[in-house]
Every structure is written in structure tokens, then in C-alpha cells.
Amino acid sequence: MLRIRDASVTFPASDGQDVHALDHVSLDIAPDSIVVAVGASGCGKSTLLNAIAGFLPLTEGTITLDGREIVAPGGDRGVVFQKDTLLPWANVLDNVALGLKYRGVSRGERHERSRHLLELVGLADFAEKPPYELSGGMRQRVGIARALATDPKILLMDEPFGALDSLTRETMQQLLASIWARTGKQILFITHSIEEALTLGTTIVVMSPRPGRIVARFDAHFVRDFAETGDIGTIQSHPRFIELRQEIRSLIHQPKGARTGTLQ
């Protein structure tokens, strides 16, 4: 269980106008769940993710994973960024195996584990290719495989599909739903897209403009249907999906205070 309690982040500024990016956010991310944070630019979504990753210290509050406070990056958290961070001089297999190499895992073992993950993301035939020969969606698949290679307890994903075209994005959403269904990983997913949030989240949290606060929380089931059927059209045309999409859009533009909801 990942627990966030009263997390606040303030960035000091030279002109004295400090930026209050995150304001007393509390959230639990349970095993076998995908929590999607959605909101307008500047609402603190990426700040929250970076604090969980250990890249950014909190000004106030605590974040714990299985009871241990997070104060620095660690192998128990895998991170996938919007822009892939693959090493251009290494082939796909060695990119996936990078974290295992730093952990001292032998070459044979890390390559065996990495090949298994490349099969999981549908890139087994591209293990020896350099990243520049891959499409954007394929490179993001490599990034997901690399994040999973160290078997983290939670996967942190910061708008990983935001730069992809709509068809590739849909394919990647289906891939993530399938991986989640097969591995049961905890996932925190950041997005600007309300449709993506509803499609992928078991829990959706809506965040307000700066300072970032959680103004609403919904439990959802659409990702379970998506993982089973892959039929995104039927899911996104569901009357409740459409209703919640409009409700979340209204919340983002006109936050009305914290409340909860349940998707049926």
C-alpha cells in the first residue's frame, strides 16, 4: 500500500512569490489498482508523481510505501515519462536491462528477464534493434518494459502516451490494461485526458488548479472490461462513461470542493 498524507510542495522563488504546487494531498494506492490523476496543466499532478518517485522532497506531509517513508528514488518504484529516455547507443534489450545492470544482476539473467518483458510488450523481435529504428509507440513500450524489469511495487506513469497519435495511443492504452490485468501492479497514471482517465482508472482523482488539491474521487470498472475485451468504443460510448466525462470536465473547470463518487 502506498499512502500519501497531507503532502504539500512549495517551490521558493527569488522574487518572494513562492509557488505552492501541492496542498495537503492525501491518497492511498492499493495493490491491484490503477489510480489516475487528471486535471488542467499546473494542478500538481507531475509534482505529486515526482514526490512519490523520490525525485522531489515534500515541504510538508509524508509518503510511505509498505510503511517505509519515501525520501529518495528506489527500485521499488518504476517510472515511465512522457518522452522516452532510452539510451540511443544501446540496443532495445540493453535498454530494458539497464536497471538490472545497476543492481549487479548478471548479464545472462538480466537479458533473460528482459527478453521475457519484451515478449510481454510485443517487441520480442526488436531486442537487437537500436531505439532510433523504433516508432514512438514502440519506444514507449520499451520504456514500460524497462520500468517493469526491476519488478517494482508500483509503476509511476507521467503522461506516457501524451505525445502519441490517437490510434497508437489507443493501442498503448490497451497494452497497459492488459499488462495490469496480468501483473496486478499498482499504477499511478497522470493524464490531461478525461477519456483516458476513465478508460484506465480503477480510481480517478480530479485535481484543482494550483495549489493542487484533490477535489473529487471516483471508483471505476471500465479498465477491467477494457482488459478483457479490448473494445474501447463500447466502453467510451457507455451512458455512464459519457455522464462521468461531463461531470469531471465540469469539476476541472469549476472545482466545487472535495467529494466522492462511484462509477456504475
Side-chain angles (χ1 to χ4, degrees), residues 33-242:
S33 66
I34 304 179
V35 174
V36 181
V38 63
S41 295
C43 71
K45 304 184 301 294
S46 293
T47 299
L48 177 62
L49 183 143
N50 285 330
I52 297 171
F55 301 150
L56 183 69
L58 294 178
T59 307
E60 297 180 57
T62 59
I63 303 175
T64 60
L65 182 56
D66 288 348
R68 299 178 61 182
E69 186 171 1
I70 292 173
V71 295
D76 53 357
R77 285 148 285 150
V79 184
V80 181
F81 300 99
Q82 180 175 356
K83 181 178 174 60
D84 74 78
T85 55
L86 304 181
L87 303 179
W89 58 85
N91 64 23
V92 166
L93 184 65
D94 285 331
N95 266 285
V96 174
L98 185 64
L100 296 173
K101 180 179 180 180
Y102 287 140
R103 283 191 167 189
V105 177
S106 68
R107 179 183 177 86
E109 182 179 349
R110 66 177 183 258
H111 278 186
E112 181 180 356
R113 289 166 63 176
S114 297
R115 288 186 189 279
H116 170 72
L117 288 167
L118 286 173
E119 289 180 6
L120 182 67
V121 300
L123 291 177
D125 293 337
F126 294 86
E128 308 303 327
K129 298 289 186 181
Y132 59 78
E133 292 187 7
L134 276 59
S135 67
M138 293 168 75
R139 290 196 297 270
Q140 283 298 69
R141 293 190 193 192
V142 177
I144 293 171
R146 183 170 67 182
L148 290 171
T150 57
D151 194 23
K153 294 179 180 178
I154 185 168
L155 194 61
L156 307 172
M157 309 187 76
D158 191 0
E159 295 232 51
F161 311 146
L164 303 177
D165 65 84
S166 59
L167 292 177
T168 304
R169 186 169 186 156
E170 183 179 315
T171 299
M172 294 300 295
Q173 290 168 350
Q174 185 175 352
L175 173 68
L176 180 63
S178 175
I179 290 173
W180 168 74
R182 292 173 63 178
T183 66
K185 288 290 181 188
Q186 295 169 272
I187 299 174
L188 174 67
F189 191 100
I190 303 298
T191 184
H192 285 99
S193 168
I194 298 170
E195 289 80 6
E196 187 165 67
L198 287 169
T199 301
L200 292 178
T202 59
T203 299
I204 297 116
V205 294
V206 183
M207 297 188 68
S208 68
R210 189 167 51 244
R213 302 184 180 98
I214 294 176
V215 297
R217 189 175 315 194
F218 300 94
D219 296 324
H221 65 73
F222 295 115
V223 68
R224 301 185 190 280
D225 297 337
F226 188 34
E228 289 179 6
T229 68
D231 187 354
I232 197 169
T234 299
I235 290 167
Q236 294 189 347
S237 63
H238 191 286
R240 188 59 176 157
F241 187 104
I242 296 169

